[in-house]
Amino acid sequence: MKYDAALDQAISRLHEEGRYRTFIDIERAKGRFPQAVWNRPDGEQQEITVWCGNDYLGMGQHPVVLAAMHEALDATGAGSGGTRNISGTTIYHKRLEAELADLHGKQAALVFSSAYTANDATLSTLPKLFPGLIIYSDELNHASMIEGIKRNGGAKRIFRHNDLAHLRQLLEADDPDAPKLIAFESIYSMDGDFGPIAAFCDLADEFGALTYLDEVHAVGMYGPRGGGVAERDRLSGRVDIINGTLGKAFGVFGGYIAAGAKMCDAIRSYAPGFIFTTSLPPAVAAGAAASIAFLKTPDGQKLRDEQQLHARILKMRLKSLGMPIIDHGSHIVPVHVGHPVHCKALSDMLLRDYGIYVQPINFPTVPRGTERLRFTPSPVHDPKQIDHLVRAMDALWSHCALNRAELSA
């Protein structure tokens, strides 16, 4: 086996298909988000505006969060020192889990190193707890959910995206006495569309299934206290397990599940992805807890309102230029391009010529032919920055061979 040649071939395929991923080296500066500095390949530095980050509300630089992290860092040092079972549980971890349980109206919560790990570890562990479990998964569920379901060794059924009739068909075809779980998301991040949570819960009640909801792109963003779409729609009590992240709207790092006390205890006791992983640094846990607590307040709601306003303004202005916006009413603003090379070219020109950083979204994150630019306006993107973005998109949409007809086809 010629290993180097195989690696060269694999990487060359990505270049040929126009979907080789390039890391943009940026420096965030405290108090200046969404402004940053791009360390260009030529060694020069360029001021840019970040338009594709997942720090949706700017909480990663909020004084409340930074103060809590500084306090914990000074009090405890850098790392946690071990797994949760071996010296890695502190008052900061317990406080964070209490904040999360309260956020979702659950008895308990369990913090992981990431939401990816939380999904993977939980979904791969559930069949150990419920022998014969059948998991019904939306076809557009996140890769972490798919991976966890694949690895669990149990039965799985994939239903068409948000297709309740197809899900009902699958449920009706299986043994009524078999344990079941329906896994879905509240907001699908690439299109920004919503899952029909209430209808999924109705089917779960009818067929005796558990419900598993990924709220990663909704926690902090929706609901009167930032508990997500389920809180907004007063459905949290009907969902058995809620997954979320601490690294997007909360602006810090980590992931979690919130559920009943027995469920969290069982996952804690059986999931290798929890048992054998070093726990979050106390300073990170402290910052996340402070962010969650802040976003539960009226000041947090002000940030949510401002973010939604900026998203509506950006959608309206891009639509007025004839851009193919995917608009499902969420905070995410995807612009359909439909070709990986064109998508990368637009991204490169926006960065180089206008100081606008938006990463191209290509296969396998989205299906081939649906490549897009995904903008994430925040409360701290000001009107001038929005105007600059709109004018840049208008100028580039017909630049060179990238004409509207070709890109919209």
Side-chain angles (χ1 to χ4, degrees), residues 45-314:
Q45 290 191 321
Q46 180 177 338
E47 289 277 338
I48 62 170
T49 303
V50 178
W51 275 100
C52 58
N54 288 332
D55 187 357
Y56 291 135
L57 299 175
M59 291 302 294
Q61 307 208 353
H62 197 282
V64 167
V65 175
L66 301 185
M69 295 184 74
H70 278 296
E71 181 182 346
L73 181 65
D74 291 339
T76 67
S80 68
T83 65
R84 287 293 296 275
N85 190 49
I86 304 175
S87 80
T89 296
T90 70
I91 58 170
Y92 301 100
H93 297 88
K94 301 298 288 184
R95 188 179 301 156
L96 173 55
E97 288 175 342
E99 284 285 1
L100 289 166
D102 173 74
L103 177 68
H104 295 291
K106 298 298 183 187
Q107 294 174 331
L110 205 59
V111 172
F112 291 77
S113 56
S114 70
Y116 187 109
T117 303
N119 271 335
D120 185 6
T122 303
L123 288 166
S124 63
T125 298
L126 287 171
K128 300 175 187 175
L129 307 175
F130 307 107
L133 179 70
I134 304 170
I135 296 182
Y136 303 80
S137 176
D138 189 291
E139 67 177 343
L140 293 189
N141 278 342
H142 190 264
S144 58
M145 301 173 76
I146 294 169
E147 188 63 26
I149 294 167
K150 278 182 181 177
R151 290 200 310 107
N152 68 27
K156 66 177 183 292
R157 312 282 186 260
I158 310 301
F159 60 90
R160 292 185 291 270
H161 179 52
N162 283 347
D163 190 330
L164 297 165
H166 188 213
L167 174 57
R168 173 179 285 279
Q169 258 185 339
L170 295 174
L171 288 162
E172 288 175 339
D174 282 320
D175 180 355
D177 294 326
K180 302 175 178 66
L181 179 140
I182 304 171
F184 51 97
E185 298 185 34
S186 61
I187 296 179
Y188 291 83
S189 64
M190 290 301 109
D191 283 349
D193 60 325
F194 294 85
I197 301 173
F200 284 140
C201 291
D202 289 342
L203 284 173
D205 290 345
E206 182 179 346
F207 288 91
L210 296 169
T211 47
Y212 188 101
L213 171 61
D214 182 308
E215 287 259 41
V216 160
H217 290 274
V219 290
M221 302 295 293
Y222 297 84
R225 301 191 312 151
V229 177
E231 185 200 30
R232 182 197 69 180
D233 297 345
R234 300 182 179 180
L235 295 169
S236 298
R238 299 188 64 190
V239 178
D240 293 293
I241 305 172
I242 295 175
N243 167 274
T245 183
L246 305 171
K248 291 184 170 58
F250 295 129
V252 191
F253 180 79
Y256 65 90
I257 61 167
K262 288 182 181 178
M263 182 69 76
C264 286
D265 192 22
I267 298 297
R268 176 187 73 85
S269 302
Y270 281 87
F274 179 85
I275 295 170
F276 299 106
T277 299
T278 300
S279 66
L280 293 184
V284 171
S291 181
I292 295 163
F294 177 85
L295 289 177
K296 291 176 181 177
T297 69
D299 287 335
Q301 186 57 45
K302 288 180 184 177
L303 289 180
R304 285 188 282 277
D305 291 342
E306 289 171 7
Q307 194 284 327
Q308 290 287 338
L309 175 62
H310 289 174
R312 287 195 299 272
I313 290 171
L314 181 58

Side-chain angles (χ1 to χ4, degrees), residues 46 49 51 314 317-318 321 323 335 345-358 373 375 383-400 402 404 407:
Q46 180 177 338
T49 303
W51 275 100
L314 181 58
R317 293 198 60 186
L318 291 175
L321 296 173
M323 304 280 176
V335 179
L346 268 173
S347 172
D348 289 346
M349 288 188 288
L350 284 166
L351 182 64
R352 182 188 67 237
D353 300 336
Y354 293 90
I356 291 168
Y357 175 37
V358 56
L373 300 177
F375 297 97
K384 287 184 178 179
Q385 291 166 336
I386 294 174
D387 188 64
H388 180 60
L389 169 61
V390 171
R391 291 177 183 275
M393 285 291 288
D394 188 32
L396 290 180
W397 200 248
S398 56
H399 184 79
C400 298
L402 304 176
R404 285 186 176 86
L407 287 170

